[in-house]
Amino acid sequence: MPTHRKPIDRHSVEYRRALGLGDCPEVAQVNVEDEPDKSGFILRALDTSGQTIGTAHVMVGSGRVSYIRVHDHAKRCGVATKLYETGARVMCERYGKPLRSDTVRSDEADVFWKKQVRKRRARVVQGEGWGGVPKTYYALRCPAPRSLA
């Protein structure tokens, strides 16, 4: 009789292990770099050797995370969470606005934002997109939560 395995959730550490990606790099710091025109800022996660392992871009006017990218060798290691935590803190402390998702999100980002709603750190917002089409996004609260893990 064949044994059926439960599929590995691609958002899990088990998935990372199954791919043979090895140990997670440690996030030593997250730098905040303002854009010259002050319309947004870039977040850069650095490992202990000073190498960039993830970046994010936040638009100041809306508080929207326009992108978040993590290097393949650092995925499923909490790098994106550290970027979101820093972005949330900067938006609340500097601009008095909550960090929010884009209306178009990757599967990974959607999982992150739905988790924040479940933990009551974020709320679902019905907004209006291009051409008046309703769009849904998520918004954290201010003051920013200390942890988004």
Side-chain angles (χ1 to χ4, degrees):
M1 182 173 213
T3 304
H4 295 285
R5 288 186 171 184
K6 180 181 172 189
I8 298 174
D9 175 9
R10 62 181 223 150
H11 302 290
S12 68
V13 173
E14 289 79 21
Y15 180 73
R16 180 182 167 73
R17 287 186 190 131
L19 293 176
L21 293 175
D23 292 336
C24 286
E26 179 186 338
V27 176
Q29 66 185 56
V30 177
N31 291 341
V32 180
E33 303 166 10
D34 292 318
E35 290 186 324
D37 66 358
K38 304 292 186 206
S39 65
F41 56 90
I42 294 173
L43 301 166
R44 193 172 309 278
L46 305 176
D47 66 12
T48 54
S49 66
Q51 297 297 308
T52 299
I53 55 175
T55 57
H57 180 261
V58 179
M59 300 298 299
V60 170
S62 62
R64 177 177 61 89
V65 178
S66 60
Y67 73 79
I68 191 160
R69 294 187 183 98
V70 175
H71 291 212
D72 286 344
H73 76 280
K75 289 188 175 184
R76 304 300 321 143
C77 294
V79 176
T81 300
K82 293 288 186 194
L83 292 166
Y84 280 122
E85 287 171 351
T86 303
R89 204 167 31 258
V90 170
M91 280 305 300
C92 288
E93 291 173 3
R94 281 192 194 173
Y95 306 103
K97 297 178 185 178
L99 187 72
R100 75 173 194 87
S101 74
D102 201 338
T103 55
V104 177
R105 297 170 295 280
S106 67
D107 291 343
E108 290 87 356
D110 212 47
V111 167
F112 170 84
W113 286 101
K114 287 178 179 176
K115 174 183 174 181
Q116 301 313 313
V117 170
R118 274 194 323 276
K119 292 191 167 198
R120 299 178 187 252
R121 297 174 183 148
R123 59 189 173 90
V124 179
V125 179
Q126 293 296 327
E128 193 173 294
W130 294 104
V133 177
K135 298 285 183 174
T136 301
Y137 63 90
Y138 301 95
L140 292 171
R141 304 184 189 282
C142 285
R146 288 197 314 203
S147 171
L148 296 174

